[in-house]
Amino acid sequence: QVQLVESGGGLVQAGGSLRLSCVASGSIFGINAVGWFRQAPGKQRDLVAQITSGGITNYVPSVKGRFTISKDNTNNTVYLQMNSLKPEDTAVYYCNADLILIATKRVMNYWGQGTQVIVSS
């Protein structure tokens, strides 16, 4: 079964750091583009950062300079390093990835289940 599993969320004080991980498992060749999204209570799910298959990164202005997205192709894992966290970063963070399936040799898009990040002031 192909799936994405996030981990690394938790409760942290403002100014602290967390590193989120997203592991792709199952019968896949690898990961293409990946995005980290977040959804705060009562709000829509928004893109935070993304990385292409070639390693090009992009960030929304609110996290630029504080968050870093990276990809470990050997272990099919994507990370989101979050530094200088603010209370407004509180949300459920989701990993979204285009995975190359072995069975069909096609790319399909998957979502993880989400991991909660709470930043206290």
Side-chain angles (χ1 to χ4, degrees):
Q1 179 183 0
V2 176
Q3 59 179 351
L4 294 174
V5 178
E6 300 104 331
S7 63
L11 173 63
V12 64
Q13 287 189 331
S17 298
L18 285 173
R19 188 176 81 155
L20 305 184
S21 299
C22 173
V23 180
S25 63
S27 298
I28 61 172
F29 284 117
I31 304 175
N32 268 0
V34 179
W36 280 98
F37 291 71
R38 66 186 179 188
Q39 187 168 20
K43 295 190 177 181
Q44 66 181 19
R45 190 175 299 185
D46 291 324
L47 178 67
V48 173
Q50 58 188 171
I51 184 167
T52 68
S53 57
I56 297 173
T57 59
N58 187 41
Y59 302 90
V60 296
S62 61
V63 307
K64 206 166 187 178
R66 300 188 297 123
F67 290 11
T68 302
I69 186 171
S70 60
K71 187 156 60 96
D72 179 351
N73 291 320
T74 300
N75 295 308
N76 290 328
T77 302
V78 182
Y79 302 99
L80 185 67
Q81 177 67 44
M82 306 187 295
N83 299 328
S84 302
L85 283 161
K86 304 175 181 180
E88 51 264 43
D89 294 319
T90 294
V92 178
Y93 283 71
Y94 297 89
C95 176
N96 176 266
D98 291 332
L99 305 181
I100 310 168
L101 306 186
I102 291 176
T104 61
K105 296 183 177 60
R106 289 187 170 184
V107 175
M108 284 195 65
N109 186 261
Y110 289 82
W111 286 94
Q113 83 288 353
T115 184
Q116 176 75 58
V117 171
I118 300 173
V119 184
S120 63
S121 58

